[in-house]
């Protein structure tokens, strides 16, 4: 399996685990009376499943982004200029249409 695919799958698993913990804590602490809403509705499990899936998407995306950003080589200095903005003292003409 390619290294990047393996990294992605690991981060999906981490995101799913974080999502399960997060939704479990939401239900345990009854945030916004969520436990009562879910437990008294006949299709409350759909809401819990959606919370888990969508939070897993968010958390796994964040985990993967953090992992990719940490792959940078810290010994290599940045290249490509000073990244300082270039200021000009020339005015710029902008066409504006009047409202009628």
């Amino acid at each position: 399996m390619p290294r990047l695919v393996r990294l992605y799958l690991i981060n999906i698993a981490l995101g799913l685990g974080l999502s399960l913990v997060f939704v479990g804590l939401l239900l345990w602490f009854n945030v916004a009376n969520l436990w009562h809403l879910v437990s008294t509705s006949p299709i409350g499990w759909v809401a819990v499943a959606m919370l888990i899936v969508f939070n897993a998407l968010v958390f796994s995306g964040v985990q993967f982004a953090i992992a990719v950003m940490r792959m940078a080589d810290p010994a290599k200095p940045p290249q490509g200029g000073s990244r300082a903005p270039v200021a000009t003292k020339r005015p710029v003409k902008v066409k504006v249409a009047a409202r009628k």
Side-chain angles (χ1 to χ4, degrees), residues 6 8-9 11 17-18 24 34 38 55 70-71 86 96-97 99:
R6 183 171 175 234
Y8 185 64
L9 292 175
N11 286 301
L18 285 173
L34 190 61
V38 169
N55 280 309
R70 291 185 69 198
M71 291 173 71
V86 178
V96 178
R99 291 186 183 182

Side-chain angles (χ1 to χ4, degrees), residues 19-35 51 55:
S19 175
L20 289 170
V21 169
F22 180 71
V23 172
L25 288 173
L26 279 177
L27 294 173
W28 179 266
F29 289 116
N30 201 17
V31 175
N33 210 16
L34 190 61
W35 172 251
L51 274 171
N55 280 309

Side-chain angles (χ1 to χ4, degrees), residues 29-96:
F29 289 116
N30 201 17
V31 175
N33 210 16
L34 190 61
W35 172 251
H36 175 73
L37 290 171
V38 169
S39 63
T40 57
S41 174
I43 58 168
W45 63 272
V46 175
V48 173
M50 288 176 63
L51 274 171
I52 290 171
V53 168
F54 292 129
N55 280 309
L57 284 172
V58 171
F59 291 150
S60 62
V62 170
Q63 286 295 320
F64 186 64
I66 290 171
V68 167
M69 286 186 237
R70 291 185 69 198
M71 291 173 71
D73 188 11
K76 186 177 178 183
Q79 299 174 353
S82 64
R83 291 173 174 75
V86 178
T88 60
K89 296 188 182 206
R90 290 182 285 149
V92 177
K93 292 183 181 180
V94 178
K95 294 182 181 181
V96 178

